[in-house]
Amino acid sequence: MSDSQDAISPAAPLSSVPSACVSKVELRVSCKALLDRDTLNKSDPCVILMVQNMGQWTEFDRTEVIKSNLHPVFAKVFSVDYYFEEVQKLRFEVFDIHGTHSIGARDDDFLGGVECTLGQIVAQKKMTKPLLLKYGKYAGKSTITVHAEEISGNNGYVELSFCAKKLDDKDLFSKSDPFLEIYRMNDDGTEQLVHRTEVIKNNLNPVWEPFKVSLISLCSCDEDRKLKCLVWDYDSRAKHDFIGEFYTSFKEMQKIGEGNEVTWDCINPKYKLKKKNYKNSGVVILTDLKLHRVYTFLDYIMGGCQIHFTVAVDFTASNGDPHNSCSLHYINPYQPNEYLKALIAVGEICQDYDSDKRFSALGFGARIPPNYEVSHDFAINFNPEDDECEEIQGVVEAYQNCLPKIQLYGPTNVAPIINRIAKLAARGQTKDASRYHILLILTDGVVTDMADTREAIVRASYQPLSIIIVGVGNADFTDMQILDGDDGVLRSPKGVPVLRDIVQFVPFRDFKTASPAALAKCVLAEVPKQVVEYYSHKAIAPLCPAQSAPNSVATTPE
């Protein structure tokens, strides 16, 4: 780079953390050879990212404005959710901004745009396309380049605080207005802008605001990757004066310790060659570093977290006489009924995450021996001291053996079982991420004790527990959707909201013609997020987290 750089204006800090269980992609944008729309100065470009939803284009976000620059490299990072199974249409529009981030209505303000899909950008990692004006006309030789980086799990983000001392004074009648830029050195020899600080006016000893950046953005999760840092004196005409530079790495930054700082000489190579006694053009100091690990579901599982699986089966009379082939509980020797299909589909996946392969199997809504009183919480192996069965096959056998011994009755009350498992989860709750519970409720109709169930779910949302409800048969399950927080926040009858969404409801009939894997994928899709959300709220790291650096904060996403 030359001593004076065409063009950069300070940018807002990067958005910090990616969401834990959603694939997120960071998009970085730069342009070249933009049209010059201004008479006295060069264009002041800004890129607006538009997304298409239901056929309508809406603004997703926009970059900062870079003053007087036809070859801008924007510091703003777009963080976008990525779904492999969807076509996600994007449009990048470049405008010459006048005033305070206002988009002009004149055609002259539009410098060009391009449409593409997120999948195209991800597949290429670096996509360069010509900018087009209205009616498909090329905007001269203008191009836009979009870099994509997937934010993978277990990289986290880092919070950095920099200051500088005794910087060179580049201004004649006042002191320098310094800002700092950090570039990542890529494997192909190119440089990627990672962060640009704000400008500190008239100060040779600036203290810049702390900022956050993901580790994949900073160093591609490679602690030894070289970072290039530049200090500039800001100029309102976009002719920033070069003060100096230094090279470092994230590994070197982590040498900061209690009460210690990491210091670099800010070197101007030209001064170093010309001046015999030249020492530096000031020093840059890293005053604080906080490393925040962002943990994923797999981090917890691979760290040793056990998933304890419990199934609860509806034995109310509305299921029909088990001896009748029309009953939902009819045991067909050639084909499992819907209860068994749902149980096996979900259970076979859950059993891989439980080392002892023992699962609790409960029933509700039946009269049970020896007194044939109605119970809404009984072990289907009729052992109240140990309701667990060996593997999923053991649960299947206990279910089949149970049917001839009970009388189907009612009503459909599920709150007692939810309360039971929530208490079990609370008793086993420790300060480490060692055990999480999944409760699968199989029912043929809408629950009778809806108010109590809502209350039980709200209390259970504070425990390491997820609840899956599968509606079996052809009943109208509309009211059951209330329990699934997807359409809004579930509240108790007193108006207390759930701490986190822990319920997933699906009707089995939606998957009658699909494979068992499709049902399992649907009902278990939210569990990883729910696991991470619980341990995030508790600020609990995995049992065997990645090795933390000094000053690291072992928390999950903000």
Side-chain angles (χ1 to χ4, degrees):
M1 293 189 180
S2 61
D3 275 8
S4 84
Q5 186 190 36
D6 285 343
I8 11 191
S9 74
L14 297 171
S15 60
S16 57
V17 194
S19 189
C21 290
V22 177
S23 291
K24 277 195 176 287
V25 174
E26 286 189 345
L27 302 179
R28 299 172 179 276
V29 184
S30 61
C31 299
K32 284 192 175 180
L34 293 178
L35 296 176
D36 193 354
R37 297 296 201 188
D38 292 351
T39 306
L40 301 177
N41 294 309
K42 296 174 183 176
S43 296
D44 303 331
C46 169
V47 176
I48 298 176
L49 173 58
M50 311 287 288
V51 297
Q52 192 179 77
N53 187 22
M54 304 292 289
Q56 298 294 317
W57 289 101
T58 56
E59 179 177 336
F60 177 80
D61 206 347
R62 62 177 66 184
T63 67
E64 74 276 18
V65 178
I66 294 185
K67 293 286 187 180
S68 190
N69 195 328
L70 303 183
H71 312 283
V73 178
F74 298 95
K76 171 70 178 180
V77 177
F78 298 119
S79 183
V80 184
D81 290 348
Y82 168 66
Y83 301 95
F84 173 77
E85 66 275 15
E86 294 182 13
V87 177
Q88 296 172 264
K89 292 186 178 180
L90 307 180
R91 188 164 77 203
F92 296 87
E93 297 182 346
V94 188
F95 286 88
D96 180 13
I97 302 299
H98 301 280
T100 310
H101 279 55
S102 59
I103 302 296
R106 298 175 299 141
D107 288 345
D108 285 353
D109 294 325
F110 182 57
L111 302 181
V114 64
E115 287 186 25
C116 61
T117 66
L118 182 56
Q120 290 172 337
I121 302 172
V122 170
Q124 298 178 45
K125 292 189 178 180
K126 176 184 178 183
M127 185 192 75
T128 300
K129 282 196 169 187
L131 289 173
L132 301 177
L133 300 173
K134 291 184 178 179
Y135 312 113
K137 180 182 177 182
Y138 285 100
K141 296 182 179 181
S142 301
T143 62
I144 185 168
T145 298
V146 185
H147 291 261
E149 291 178 321
E150 184 178 2
I151 303 300
S152 56
N154 204 25
N155 61 66
Y157 67 99
V158 65
E159 185 174 349
L160 300 171
S161 301
F162 284 95
C163 70
K165 291 183 179 180
K166 299 181 179 179
L167 295 177
D168 284 354
D169 192 351
K170 295 290 185 178
D171 294 342
L172 189 61
F173 299 109
S174 62
K175 296 177 182 177
S176 295
D177 306 322
F179 65 93
L180 171 69
E181 287 184 325
I182 300 176
Y183 286 82
R184 183 186 72 224
M185 308 298 286
N186 295 323
D187 293 333
D188 60 2
T190 60
E191 301 173 2
Q192 176 64 59
L193 176 64
V194 172
H195 185 77
R196 181 183 299 132
T197 71
E198 76 281 10
V199 174
I200 304 294
K201 290 284 189 178
N202 196 33
N203 196 328
L204 302 182
N205 301 291
V207 178
W208 291 291
E209 287 291 324
F211 62 91
K212 298 173 184 176
V213 61
S214 67
L215 291 184
I216 198 165
S217 295
L218 180 66
C219 59
S220 300
C221 295
D222 176 5
E223 296 186 352
D224 293 312
R225 185 174 295 276
K226 185 180 287 187
L227 304 174
K228 183 178 182 179
C229 304
L230 306 174
V231 182
W232 300 87
D233 173 24
Y234 177 76
D235 181 79
S236 59
R237 295 167 299 175
K239 294 291 184 180
H240 310 301
D241 292 320
F242 178 65
I243 294 177
E245 65 184 18
F246 62 92
Y247 292 85
T248 185
S249 66
F250 182 53
K251 187 174 184 179
E252 184 179 14
M253 289 180 179
Q254 292 180 88
K255 292 179 181 178
I256 190 170
E258 289 294 331
N260 297 324
E261 300 172 334
V262 182
T263 303
W264 297 273
D265 286 329
C266 189
I267 301 298
N268 186 319
K270 288 188 177 180
Y271 291 176
K272 189 173 183 179
L273 285 175
K274 292 179 180 179
K275 297 182 179 181
K276 186 176 181 181
N277 296 321
Y278 175 77
K279 183 178 180 182
N280 59 45
S281 294
V283 294
V284 176
I285 303 164
L286 177 64
T287 58
D288 193 23
L289 180 152
K290 293 178 182 176
L291 180 58
H292 300 252
R293 294 291 183 187
V294 178
Y295 297 113
T296 66
F297 174 67
L298 282 180
D299 289 328
Y300 288 103
I301 295 301
M302 296 175 72
C305 182
Q306 297 286 297
I307 302 293
H308 185 74
F309 177 63
T310 299
V311 61
V313 181
D314 180 341
F315 290 111
T316 56
S318 55
N319 284 279
D321 184 351
H323 297 97
N324 189 319
S325 61
C326 295
S327 171
L328 293 170
H329 280 307
Y330 179 69
I331 302 299
N332 185 329
Y334 304 106
Q335 183 179 354
N337 60 35
E338 291 187 7
Y339 279 98
L340 286 176
K341 284 180 180 178
L343 162 63
I344 294 169
V346 177
E348 283 189 339
I349 291 179
C350 292
Q351 71 179 357
D352 289 339
Y353 302 101
D354 193 341
S355 60
D356 67 5
K357 303 291 186 286
R358 290 177 58 83
F359 310 107
S360 298
L362 307 174
F364 59 93
R367 286 174 164 172
I368 63 172
N371 299 322
Y372 287 94
E373 295 176 347
V374 177
S375 174
H376 299 292
D377 174 12
F378 64 92
I380 65 175
N381 65 1
F382 300 109
N383 183 355
E385 302 300 323
D386 183 6
D387 58 23
E388 293 186 335
C389 303
E390 292 287 343
E391 302 188 348
I392 293 304
Q393 186 56 37
V395 178
V396 172
E397 292 172 0
Y399 165 75
Q400 293 172 333
N401 294 333
C402 169
L403 281 170
K405 301 175 183 177
I406 62 174
Q407 296 177 3
L408 305 193
Y409 203 70
T412 309
N413 292 349
V414 299
I417 280 181
I418 294 175
N419 287 329
R420 171 179 176 156
I421 302 304
K423 289 176 182 176
L424 178 66
R427 282 201 303 270
Q429 186 183 151
T430 61
K431 292 184 179 180
D432 59 26
S434 59
R435 194 173 182 86
Y436 193 88
H437 293 256
I438 293 178
L439 171 60
L440 171 64
I441 299 176
L442 305 174
T443 180
D444 80 320
V446 175
V447 300
T448 309
D449 60 340
M450 184 61 78
D452 289 342
T453 298
R454 287 164 52 199
E455 182 73 38
I457 290 172
V458 169
R459 288 199 299 264
S461 69
Y462 288 81
Q463 307 304 332
L465 171 64
S466 292
I467 301 172
I468 298 165
I469 305 176
V470 176
V472 177
N474 296 315
D476 182 359
F477 292 111
T478 304
D479 290 345
M480 294 293 282
Q481 300 291 348
I482 298 171
L483 303 178
D484 192 326
D486 292 346
D487 297 326
V489 178
L490 175 69
R491 296 178 181 271
S492 72
K494 296 180 181 178
V496 179
V498 289
L499 175 67
R500 55 196 180 91
D501 180 14
I502 64 169
V503 176
Q504 174 79 345
F505 172 79
V506 296
F508 184 86
R509 58 173 172 258
D510 291 353
F511 297 89
K512 268 192 174 181
T513 59
S515 68
L519 171 66
K521 182 179 179 181
C522 177
V523 298
L524 293 172
E526 295 186 18
V527 170
K529 177 168 69 77
Q530 291 166 359
V531 171
V532 172
E533 284 176 348
Y534 172 77
Y535 290 120
S536 298
H537 175 72
K538 294 288 187 178
I540 298 175
L543 289 173
C544 301
Q547 187 175 358
S548 297
N551 294 348
S552 74
V553 179
T555 61
T556 36
E558 287 188 327

